[in-house]
Amino acid sequence: MFNLKFTLNGEAAEVLVAHGAMLVDILRDQLTLTGTKKGCGKGECGACTVIMNGIAVNSCMIPAMKAFGSVIETIEGIAPKNGVHPLQESFMDEGAVQCGFCTPGMIMSAKALLDHRPHPTSEEIKEAIGGNICRCTGYVKIEKAIQRAAEEIEKAKNEEVKCQKGRDSCANL
Ligand code: FES
Ligand code: FES
C-alpha cells in the first residue's frame, strides 16, 4: 500500500492505495467518483477519460502511483457551483446523449481540447474524441455539441469583458 497524494477537482486528495491499482478504480471505488466510467478497462473505449495535468488520459491505463503529485479533473469537478459546464449544457441541448455511458469521457476529452483550443476546427474535434467510442448516437451531434460549447464559452468571455468595462449589466455573470 502507499499513500497517494494529488489534487483532485481543485482540492487536495489523499488516499491509501494498493500497489498496481489503476487510477480509474481509485476514483470510482475508493473516492466514489463514479461519473468516470469503466468500459473496456484496456485503453480502447475512452469511457474512463479524465484530465491529468491538462491532458485527457484513459484513467484505466494510468497506474495510481503515476498520479502522485498530479492535478486531476473528473466530470464531477467541471461545473461551476449551482450550475453546469457549457459542455454539459450543449450535450443536453444538442441531443448528444442517449444511454450516457460514453458522455463523461466525451466531455472530458472535449474539455481538454477547448482548454487549449478555444476555436477548434471540425477536424480537431474529431481528433480529440477519436479515442472515445459511442455506441448510441453516432458522432454528429456530439461534434455539434462541442462546437456549440466553444461558441458559448467565447460568448460568456466576451460578456465578461464588456461587464468589466462597465458597458453592460453584470447581473447574470
Ligand atoms: S475503460 Fe478505459 S479506455 Fe475503456
Ligand atoms: S450515448 Fe450511449 S454510448 Fe454514447
Side-chain angles (χ1 to χ4, degrees), residues 12-173:
E14 191 170 342
V15 59
L16 200 59
V17 304
H19 286 280
M22 303 309 269
L23 181 59
V24 65
D25 298 315
I26 302 305
L27 292 172
R28 288 180 52 82
D29 301 339
Q30 288 185 242
L31 297 167
T32 63
L33 295 180
T34 53
T36 299
K37 302 302 177 206
K38 188 173 180 182
C40 66
K42 48 186 182 178
E44 290 173 2
C45 72
C48 63
T49 304
V50 300
I51 300 178
M52 182 173 174
N53 298 330
I55 296 168
V57 296
N58 289 327
S59 59
C60 71
M61 299 301 286
I62 304 287
M65 285 174 94
K66 285 218 163 159
F68 192 93
S70 67
V71 175
I72 305 277
E73 288 175 79
T74 70
I75 191 71
E76 288 87 352
I78 67 168
K81 251 194 186 145
N82 304 322
V84 291
H85 188 279
L87 277 162
Q88 293 170 312
E89 195 153 31
S90 65
F91 267 63
M92 291 187 282
D93 291 348
E94 291 291 341
V97 180
Q98 283 188 28
C99 80
F101 191 80
C102 71
T103 309
M106 284 285 182
I107 288 182
M108 295 314 286
S109 290
K111 182 175 186 297
L113 170 69
L114 297 187
D115 285 348
H116 298 291
R117 299 278 302 164
H119 309 290
T121 63
S122 163
E123 282 316 305
E124 285 170 333
I125 292 174
K126 284 190 177 73
E127 196 183 320
I129 59 167
N132 295 81
I133 292 172
C134 179
R135 298 283 185 216
C136 305
T137 63
Y139 297 89
V140 176
K141 289 182 176 180
I142 291 172
E143 287 169 29
K144 250 177 118 179
I146 296 169
Q147 202 73 64
R148 179 167 171 168
E151 289 160 13
E152 291 302 324
I153 291 168
E154 176 72 9
K155 220 191 282 175
K157 269 189 199 149
N158 290 339
E159 288 300 315
E160 204 174 327
V161 169
K162 276 192 215 167
C163 174
Q164 281 163 1
K165 288 181 180 168
R167 294 210 301 259
D168 278 348
S169 161
C170 299
N172 297 323
L173 298 176

Side-chain angles (χ1 to χ4, degrees), residues 2-24:
F2 73 100
N3 207 20
L4 173 63
K5 293 183 184 180
F6 60 129
T7 302
L8 179 60
N9 295 330
E11 293 188 4
E14 191 170 342
V15 59
L16 200 59
V17 304
H19 286 280
M22 303 309 269
L23 181 59
V24 65

